[in-house]
Amino acid sequence: MFGSILSQVLERVLELPPARTRKIEVTRNLRVPMRDGVVLLADRYAPEDGGAGDAAELPTVLVRSPYGKGGLHSVMYGRPFAERGYEVVIQSCRGTEHSGGILDPFRQEAADGLDTLVWLGRQPWAGDVVTTGPSYLGFSQWALASALASVPDDGSWEGIPRPRAMAVQLAPSDFREPVYEGGSFALHTFLRWTRQRWNFERDEPLHLVRAFGRVLLGVEGRAVGRAEARLPLGDLDRWATGRRVDYWQGWLEHDAPHDPWWDSARHGDAVAGITAPVHLLGGRYDLFLPGLLRDYARLRDAGRQPRLTIGPWAHEDPAWVPVATREALAFFDTHAKGERGRLRDTPVRVHVGGAEEWRDYPDFPPPGVRAERWHLHGGHLLAREAPGDSPPEGYRYDPADPTPSVGGPLFGRGAGPRDNRALEARPDVLTYTSEPLGRNLEVVGPVEAELWVRSSLAHADFFARLCDVEPSGRSVNVSDALLRVSPGRPEPEEDETLQLRIELWPTAHSFRRGHRLRVQISSGAHPRLARNTGSGEPLAAATKLVAAAQQVFHDPLHPSAVVLSVLA
Ligand code: BEZ
């Protein structure tokens, strides 16, 4: 009864097509055996009358989550899809909720996903499989698809259902990359995640209610904030949760770029081989947008045109939920049920900031986009022309007072576009600003900073951010990224400058007439990214803080610039 009322409310809020039935039979805690004997639990949602049809033939939506299979997931996936003619299976990942085993995040989902699929293939009620879910749940879809690609074609796996469609939201196929964003360590995201997991385990079964209460009271923010101000990073699991967390230690220990420890969490190489139709949804300020777009390009370049929606969202913005649910449903109806006419004509839909409107394109970046260079100049100017002779500007970066992160792709409160004026007033932040634009400038696609810099230290970070400066003087972040340099990476030039190419977050933004472009250069975005201590000590153990003298060049031999994808 309560479930049915909730469904009706949700149908309105999410603007879903009408339910085919409200009679859903829920079977809890189905036991799904893994190859090593561990048993994972799953709940099944079945429309009682088959949702208008023969239940045995209904496609099955598989959702694999480390956040519990009931509660929110039941509301977001269980009922909405079951009421519209799908079997739904929501499984708790290894070591989460009451599933067996120990959680080792990101590294177990390929094998466990495959074993789950084998089990599903043996269930008489399970039809064609489709997969959905955001973030970790999206990554677990990539991992499953990757595991399937490695299954031998010798008949031994006959009967395993191959997903007919995937709807992945806010998730990359490679989770190593966002952990070491730009070669630094994504401190805030992964410490907060570690603390959330700990809350989740200690709070059951009232997890959601208590978690919500703690967020409202600001307890969570303060607890994580206090911990992330400390060093060494190897102690922060204890500061944030009161105990040692093995995976936190593993992440810090295995920070070398090609450490094979991460192989089971990196599925980028398998993406081009995915033949199931893929629907991707990302946010302009999402943590995982760059990886999601790399996966889009891999599929597109392999001749499979994925669908892509990019909204104005950060990771935890609830506004993406209705769009994701509606689009996944229409996508599955098309590909698993053969219903036509529910998908938009063009594969790509992007929300353009500044213009504040949605645009449909045949591809991302859209055809006709050209690279436009905006050069840094002496006098803190930014202009199309190449720079003349001018001395570099310098600043001092002090890891004892690390340059803070303001807005942008943050995990949690404060994410997204923010007023950067206080940040830009700091002496450790340089800015380069254009004249007011004579007409609108539309940037849709990749953004890159090509910088010529010098540091007094061999270990240093450089952070570049593109802002939209309103006529009022308010400077709002559009796109950014950080790059960590270390001895030999990159190789210094003869004059000891470093040429850096920093791939900023791809974006879709219209800089309006009268607004100005601004580029910020600094050496940190703490606590979003762990501070560079400057000492070169190992990531987990570093405590010694060494301040750096940084220089940014802009002259004919060192033409620092941002390169924008400009729409004709
Ligand atoms: C998520 O599932 O939302 C998530 C996973 C890892 C880091 C941050 C967020």
Side-chain angles (χ1 to χ4, degrees), residues 67 106 135-136 175 189-190 193 287-288 315 411:
Y67 307 120
F106 318 118
S135 202
Y136 196 109
F175 235 97
T189 297
F190 288 93
W193 192 82
L287 307 167
F288 305 128
H315 199 68
F411 183 36

Side-chain angles (χ1 to χ4, degrees), residues 288-410:
F288 305 128
L289 181 67
L292 181 107
L293 288 177
R294 266 192 287 280
D295 291 325
Y296 170 86
R298 285 175 174 125
L299 287 164
R300 192 250 343 258
D301 293 350
R304 287 177 270 284
Q305 179 62 61
R307 296 204 146 243
L308 173 68
T309 299
I310 304 177
W313 312 302
H315 199 68
E316 292 188 318
D317 185 342
W320 59 258
V321 175
V323 183
T325 313
R326 282 197 301 273
E327 293 194 355
L329 192 60
F331 195 63
F332 295 159
D333 286 351
T334 304
H335 293 290
K337 293 188 170 178
E339 292 174 11
R340 299 285 155 206
R342 299 263 320 280
L343 296 180
R344 60 178 183 251
D345 292 336
T346 44
V348 176
R349 177 166 289 177
V350 178
H351 184 271
V352 181
E356 304 309 323
E357 62 189 28
W358 290 91
R359 306 248 184 91
D360 287 353
Y361 297 117
D363 197 2
F364 189 88
V369 154
R370 63 183 156 73
E372 195 171 283
R373 303 176 80 80
W374 285 75
H375 289 97
L376 278 56
H377 287 254
H380 298 277
L381 294 176
L382 185 73
R384 293 297 317 283
E385 302 83 54
D389 275 330
S390 60
E393 268 104 29
Y395 60 93
R396 181 173 186 271
Y397 166 74
D398 183 358
D401 175 24
T403 320
S405 48
V406 173
L410 285 180

